[in-house]
Amino acid sequence: MTAPRLVPTEPFAGQRPGTSGLRKKVAVFRQPHYLENFVQSIYDVLEGYAGQTLVVGGDGRFFNREAIQVILRMAAANGFGRVLVGCRGILSTPAASAVIRKHRAFGGIILSASHNPGGPDEDFGIKYNIGAGGPAPEKVTDAIFARSQTISQYRIIDAADIDLDRPGRQSLGGMTVEVIDPVADYAELMQRLFDFPAIRGLFASGFRMCFDAMHAVTGPYAHTILEGLLGAPAGTVINGIPLPDFGGGHPDPNLVHAHDLVAALAAPDGPDFGAASDGDGDRNMILGRNFYVTPSDSLAVLTANAGLAPGYAGGLAGVARSMPTSQAADRVAAALGLACYETPTGWKFFGNLMDAGLVTLCGEESFGTGSDHVREKDGLWAVLLWLNILASRRQSVEDILRQHWRTYGRNYYSRHDYEGVDSAAADALMDHLRQNLASLPSKCLGGFTVDLADDFSYTDPVDGSVSAGQGIRIIFSDGSRIVYRLSGTGTVGATLRVYIERFEPDPARHDEDTQRILAPLIDLAEEIAGIRRRTGRDHPTVIT
Ligand code: VG1
Ligand code: CO
């Protein structure tokens, strides 16, 4: 057995994990000892893992395989008993969560920068997930960061690379490495949740869909499940082979970046249903024929219809959404008598609620939806739940949405992102907003009366932990909202996100253009924050 080697090192500034772990440019990760420091910091704050199982995998982006070899050699040196690693280094984020839970692993390390581009000059990321399968809570990520600021050595063994392309057991030092099929456990779980025969029947009836894997991790999952188990015709999955640079694109499932999918759906005689997922497979975008479903509406429709799928036929415990997500799901929850929770941005806040059995479904406006089957958001899961609903209701996506709006009203919603803004300017803008919050309530601005203005603070109902400073919300008396927050996942400068929402109960007004109907609130968002003056930007970089 190879003896662990202790390597002296020095801390790096700025190894603070953001919304979803540590995300930096590949060049940053490639600095000597940088990755090792962070991995050792993770291992150092964990307790009681000797002889236990760790799950490791990533979205296949550039540097994935190299990072995995380091993580494995360090896991062996630190005393893990076994590592389950996805074949070819592949595990989607939700599949990693499923594997951690099924095999009762101690935890897992997921390598991804999600929807950010990949390649030698692009982004890489690493995050730790706990034994429940979800992202580490803030107290753990804070401890990892603190450790990374004082670290002076790391443990590693000298050994040849593990063959990540060969399924089965290999030995590394005294540790077992099991190279597993990245799809099998996940596909088995999906078959327990959804009515596969009904969905197979839908495809057999001539229903056509296009799934855009965006050259990212969901390709193998979608091929196996949609074209294999569900009998969708070959060609249903496009861009289905994971590439280290995602084919040069942004693996971000929105109307701008999923252009191949949007084009397919807009074609005359195009498919009935379209969907895309992101780099690591936890996001989803849902499209009908010439029809876009906002992620917030998708959460509401899934909440209203989940009972049609066998896995949710017993009813939902409750639903949770992140604060900036539209309040569409709240209306469904109220109508169905379900508890509804509002959490800060980021999936880690849903874990406690699901573990305590308080909620079944969760969602975010950023193309994230999921349930308590795992502890991550799950792109393909959302697609399968939609397919189950379509198989059962046999209506078009558009008809389902229109009927939903007639029943619950429509929450017009949009997010405006200003990317790569000067960090100091973005901080100043937020500070200015914070300082002026107290003066806003009961003011009438542009015809809207302010009901509440605060910097969102969340007290976890399960463990009582408080997360403050989670975004500025301005809520108006008619239920409209403007929310401002800075992204915690960017790698260059700051990204300012402005979220705008307006509720419209009148079915005669459910056909308006979203940006037009939101225009007065968009103007107000500018007036209140002075975005143009403070950031020098005339327009958002991305509108979703
Ligand atoms: C963004 C989204 C947030 C999501 C996070 C991780 O965070 O807004 O809703 O949970 O990305 O998603 P931020 O801090 O940049 O707004 V993923 O698919 O990158 O794991
Ligand atoms: Co993602």
Side-chain angles (χ1 to χ4, degrees):
M1 172 174 152
T2 331
R5 189 158 57 89
L6 281 173
V7 182
T9 187
E10 279 172 18
F12 286 94
Q15 285 199 331
R16 179 178 284 286
T19 315
S20 311
L22 184 70
R23 288 190 188 160
K24 300 281 176 199
K25 291 286 173 203
V26 166
V28 174
F29 273 101
R30 280 175 141 179
Q31 297 170 87
H33 308 318
Y34 187 93
L35 173 69
E36 290 85 347
N37 277 7
F38 195 71
V39 173
Q40 188 64 52
S41 301
I42 296 174
Y43 296 157
D44 281 351
V45 306
L46 305 178
E47 276 169 27
Y49 60 76
Q52 301 280 311
T53 299
L54 181 73
V55 172
V56 178
D59 62 10
R61 70 179 57 227
F62 187 86
F63 199 54
N64 192 46
R65 285 173 177 261
E66 291 88 328
I68 287 176
Q69 298 294 349
V70 169
I71 291 165
L72 294 180
R73 283 202 285 271
M74 291 182 65
N78 280 276
F80 275 96
R82 179 173 75 141
V83 174
L84 303 179
V85 57
C87 195
R88 303 183 305 285
I90 292 288
L91 270 179
S92 77
T93 292
S97 186
V99 171
I100 292 170
R101 291 168 67 80
K102 177 172 172 181
H103 298 275
R104 300 186 191 288
F106 186 86
I109 293 181
I110 302 176
L111 304 164
S112 172
S114 190
H115 52 291
N116 292 3
D121 301 321
E122 299 294 354
D123 293 354
F124 191 74
I126 173 167
K127 94 177 165 168
Y128 178 70
N129 278 32
I130 57 175
E138 268 184 347
K139 65 173 191 304
V140 177
T141 54
D142 286 350
I144 294 170
F145 173 62
R147 180 64 190 153
S148 75
Q149 301 302 292
T150 59
I151 190 165
S152 61
Q153 55 184 26
Y154 63 84
R155 301 167 78 85
I156 193 161
I157 62 164
D158 295 310
D161 279 358
I162 287 289
D163 182 353
L164 294 175
D165 300 295
R166 177 159 59 90
R169 286 188 185 185
Q170 299 170 52
S171 162
L172 185 68
M175 188 181 80
T176 304
V177 176
E178 248 180 87
V179 177
I180 60 167
D181 175 348
V183 179
D185 289 332
Y186 181 82
E188 183 220 11
L189 178 56
M190 293 302 116
Q191 290 176 83
R192 279 191 273 130
L193 296 175
F194 301 115
D195 188 345
F196 272 48
I199 303 173
R200 224 177 282 133
L202 179 69
F203 282 119
S205 74
F207 174 90
R208 285 181 308 133
M209 102 171 259
C210 178
F211 180 89
D212 189 348
M214 305 190 82
H215 296 297
V217 80
T218 45
Y221 297 85
H223 275 300
T224 299
I225 295 174
L226 299 176
E227 296 181 0
L229 298 170
L230 291 170
T236 296
V237 178
I238 61 170
N239 303 321
I241 296 173
L243 299 174
D245 68 348
F246 307 119
H250 272 252
D252 194 351
N254 60 37
L255 292 175
V256 179
H257 294 304
H259 32 73
D260 292 350
L261 177 72
V262 172
L265 269 284
D269 197 32
D272 306 284
F273 180 56
S277 190
D278 71 330
D280 62 329
D282 57 359
R283 298 186 177 206
N284 72 92
M285 177 171 69
I286 299 294
L287 301 177
R289 205 178 271 178
N290 279 312
F291 192 86
Y292 166 66
V293 182
T294 71
S296 298
D297 275 349
S298 180
L299 175 66
V301 169
L302 297 183
T303 304
N305 293 278
L308 297 172
Y312 306 94
L316 305 176
V319 57
R321 62 163 173 81
S322 66
M323 182 272 281
T325 303
S326 100
Q327 300 161 97
D330 305 34
R331 301 192 169 270
V332 177
L336 302 183
L338 293 173
C340 182
Y341 296 84
E342 182 175 45
T343 61
T345 294
W347 210 260
K348 61 188 167 200
F349 296 98
F350 295 135
N352 274 355
L353 300 176
M354 292 193 274
D355 290 346
L358 297 175
V359 302
T360 308
L361 299 193
C362 302
E364 295 191 278
E365 49 66 39
S366 53
F367 301 88
T369 3
S371 88
D372 61 358
H373 68 290
V374 290
R375 292 294 181 275
E376 291 278 3
K377 56 186 184 263
D378 189 343
L380 211 45
W381 168 90
V383 173
L384 291 168
L385 181 49
W386 263 99
L387 282 170
N388 200 141
I389 292 166
L390 292 166
S392 171
R393 290 183 54 170
R394 301 281 171 146
Q395 284 170 286
S396 72
V397 172
E398 177 167 354
D399 285 349
I400 288 175
L401 259 293
R402 292 198 178 281
Q403 199 169 318
H404 186 92
W405 293 334
R406 277 198 298 278
T407 308
Y408 301 101
R410 177 169 182 187
N411 290 70
Y412 283 97
Y413 183 84
S414 183
R415 181 175 108 181
H416 289 199
D417 291 334
Y418 298 80
E419 293 175 351
V421 169
D422 175 68
S423 291
D427 287 338
L429 182 147
M430 293 298 287
D431 284 344
H432 161 82
L433 280 172
R434 252 177 233 118
Q435 280 151 22
N436 288 295
L437 280 177
S439 70
L440 290 177
S442 67
K443 252 193 195 160
C444 182
L445 303 167
F448 295 88
T449 307
V450 179
D451 244 8
L452 181 150
D454 70 357
D455 191 353
F456 182 60
S457 173
Y458 176 68
T459 304
D460 186 299
V462 181
D463 65 18
S465 60
V466 176
S467 303
Q470 298 293 325
I472 307 286
R473 4 172 236 186
I474 303 176
I475 306 180
F476 301 95
S477 55
D478 66 347
S480 297
R481 297 192 311 166
I482 299 173
V483 172
Y484 305 86
R485 59 179 284 281
L486 297 183
S487 157
T489 59
T491 55
V492 187
T495 294
L496 170 67
R497 307 203 195 283
V498 185
Y499 311 78
I500 305 121
E501 173 181 4
R502 178 174 189 163
F503 178 63
E504 179 51 70
D506 181 3
R509 304 196 61 196
H510 286 170
D511 238 340
E512 309 286 326
D513 175 75
T514 297
Q515 298 304 318
R516 221 186 48 225
I517 204 157
L518 294 178
L521 285 161
I522 294 169
D523 291 347
L524 195 51
E526 162 63 30
E527 191 186 317
I528 295 171
I531 302 168
R532 228 169 275 147
R533 178 168 47 86
R534 291 176 176 276
T535 67
R537 298 294 176 81
D538 271 343
H539 300 288
T541 324
V542 180
I543 295 181
T544 47

